[in-house]
Amino acid sequence: MILETPDDTMAFGRALGAVLRPGDLVLLAGPLGAGKTTLTRGIADGMGVGGRVSSPTFVLARVHEAGQTGVPLIHVDAYRLGGDLSQLDDLDLDTDLESSAVVVEWGEGSAERLNEDHLVIRLSREDDDTRTATLEPHGEWADRTDSLTALIR
């Protein structure tokens, strides 16, 4: 899927946020500047959660109170861990996952063990400054991504 502008990335995030449920795990992969935090802002907006969404690089995780969907959002940025994703265990995300939706930037390679049902979104930034998003559904997400892509078209 081509995301031509930051507004397109936000719109995709809103569509995703509107369908997230407790227990959902979304992993965002891509290089710096690919749009992971912008996408997370859209997800938060679609969920109607409170608080400003910014990259939690220095605190690792931010909890955003439940909004209109009734589901809290936990936004994790594992970039600072530099590949040592074992520190994710200290955040006790598997417990939070029961009642919240969890979005993890830079967590691929470790965070997917939190839930076999997860969605990986690969973002890339093209030379013309557009973004490309590739969805990789795992487990029950295989059935849910068709309805998600229909929402954003």
Side-chain angles (χ1 to χ4, degrees), residues 71-151:
V71 181
L73 171 66
I74 299 175
H75 178 202
V76 179
D77 187 333
Y79 181 76
R80 186 170 62 97
L81 300 179
D84 180 14
L85 300 180
S86 65
Q87 293 181 45
L88 285 176
D89 292 335
D90 295 339
L91 297 176
D92 206 19
L93 293 176
D94 50 347
T95 300
D96 293 328
L97 194 56
E98 294 174 14
S99 61
S100 305
V102 177
V103 174
V104 182
E105 298 183 35
W106 301 97
E108 191 176 28
S110 182
E112 57 271 294
R113 75 186 186 309
L114 296 170
N115 191 341
E116 65 183 36
D117 298 321
H118 62 276
L119 177 64
V120 176
I121 302 175
R122 292 193 188 286
L123 294 164
S124 62
R125 183 177 181 175
E126 308 305 326
D127 291 338
D128 64 358
D129 218 26
T130 62
R131 272 61 172 177
T132 301
T134 305
L135 307 181
E136 295 178 11
H138 297 269
E140 75 170 38
W141 273 100
D143 296 330
R144 293 174 65 191
T145 51
D146 288 340
S147 61
L148 175 62
T149 53
L151 284 173

